[in-house]
Amino acid sequence: MRKKTILLHLVLIIVLGVVVAGCGGKGASSASGPKDIRIGFAQCKADESDWRMANTRSMLDTFKGPGYQLTLSDSNNDAAKQVADVQGFIDQEYDYIVIAAVNMDGWDTVLRNAQAAKIPVILVDRNINAPQDLWTSYVGPDFKVEGEKATAWMAKHFGSNPVNVVNLQGQLGSGAQVGRSAALDDAIASNSNWTLVARQTGEWSTDVAKQVMTSWIQQYGSTINCVYAENDNMADGAIQALQERGIKVGGADGVAIISFDANRPYLQMTLAGLINCNVECNPLHGPRVKQIIDNLESGGQPKKIEIIDEEAFYWDTITQAIIDARQY
Ligand code: AHR
C-alpha cells in the first residue's frame, strides 16, 4: 500500500510540474523563444538626399540585430501614401510604428487608429501637427532653432549692408521646411535691410534647385547676394548654377551660401569656402529610437519630446580635423 501511495504522489508531482510550466511559468517563455519586436518605419523617401540616406542607414543598421524586425516603407515623399503605409502597419499589428513625416498635417485619423490598436507611435526627425496624446515620443531637431543659427550668421556677415536673399525651400509642408523658412521670415521681418528676393521649393534635390537658381539668376542677376538653401543637396545645385555663370560664390565677398544638414561632402565644400554657413541636422536617429523602444519595452516612460543638440559650421573656422571626426 505504502509503495503505491508514494508512486501516486510522484506521478502527481510530475503531472503538476508540467502543467505549471505550460501555464506561463518560467519554462513557457524558454519553450516559445523570445518574440522579435516588430517595428514599422514609415520613411519619407529613403534615397531622397545625402541626409535621408544617412538617416535610413542609421535606422536599418540599428535594428538589424537579433530581437527586432524592422520593416521600412518608402512613401516616395508622397504624404497620402505615407499615411496609408502607417495604416498598413496598424492592420498588420506591428508592435511599434516609427514615422519620419513627409508632411506636418493629415495625421489625426490614422494616429487615432494606432491608438485604438494600442500601437505606440514614435515620431523621428520630423515634427507634425497632431494632438500630443496621439503619439508617444518625438526625437529630432528644432528646425526653427537651426534656421536661427543660419540667420544669426547672416546678420553678422552682412551687418547693416543690404541682404538680398533667395530661399530654396525643402518640400513644402514638411517640418524641416516650415521651421527653417519661419526663421528666415522672422529675420527678414526684424531687419529692414533684408529683402526676400524669391523663394520656391527645390524639393530637397540638387537638380531641381539648380534649375530654380538658374531662372532666378536670369531674373534677378547680381541683385542676389545670399542663397538660403534648406539642405546640402539644394545648396550644391545653387552653387553649380552660380558657378556656371561665372558668379563668385562664398568666401568673404561671393554670393553667401547657407546650407543645412552638414553631411561630410558638404562640410568639405564649407572648408573650401563654397558654403559659408552649414547648420547640422543630425540624421543618426537609429540608436535614439532604439533607446525609446527599449525603454517602453522595460515598462519605462520615455521623454515626450527629445530635441537633439546640433552645431553649425562656418567657412572661416571649420578644419579638416573637425570634418574627419564627423560620423556622417
Ligand atoms: O528632416 C530633415 C531634412 O529632410 C533634411 O534637412 C533634408 O535633407 C531631408 O530631406
Side-chain angles (χ1 to χ4, degrees), residues 48-49 51-52 125-126 143 176 180 204 230-233 260-261 281:
E48 145 236 88
S49 58
W51 191 97
R52 193 60 55 187
D125 164 35
R126 298 279 184 78
F143 292 111
R180 290 169 187 164
W204 305 122
E230 294 179 2
N231 87 333
D232 280 335
N233 297 73
F260 295 84
D261 288 351
C281 177

Side-chain angles (χ1 to χ4, degrees), residues 44-45 48-52 77 100-101 124-127 138 141 143 146 170-171 174-177 180 203-204 230-234 260-261 263 279 281-283 285:
C44 301
K45 183 177 191 306
E48 145 236 88
S49 58
D50 291 61
W51 191 97
R52 193 60 55 187
N77 274 341
V124 64
D125 164 35
R126 298 279 184 78
N127 52 319
Y138 168 78
F143 292 111
E146 290 179 351
Q171 184 170 355
S174 66
Q177 177 271 311
R180 290 169 187 164
E203 300 295 345
W204 305 122
E230 294 179 2
N231 87 333
D232 280 335
N233 297 73
M234 296 192 291
F260 295 84
D261 288 351
N263 292 288
V279 180
C281 177
N282 191 291
H285 291 309

Side-chain angles (χ1 to χ4, degrees), residues 77 88 129 155 179-181 189 200 213 219 243 260 270 287 301-302:
N77 274 341
N129 292 323
R180 290 169 187 164
S181 295
Q200 190 175 330
M213 190 69 209
Q219 293 175 70
Q243 289 186 319
F260 295 84
T270 306
Q301 186 61 43

Side-chain angles (χ1 to χ4, degrees), residues 250-293:
D253 55 4
V255 173
I257 306 292
I258 303 293
S259 186
F260 295 84
D261 288 351
N263 292 288
R264 192 179 283 120
Y266 304 90
L267 288 180
Q268 292 296 158
M269 291 170 71
T270 306
L271 181 63
L274 294 174
I275 294 174
N276 292 89
C277 167
N278 199 332
V279 180
E280 178 186 16
C281 177
N282 191 291
L284 307 180
H285 291 309
R288 300 170 183 135
V289 172
K290 180 177 181 297
Q291 192 176 17
I292 292 170
I293 289 175

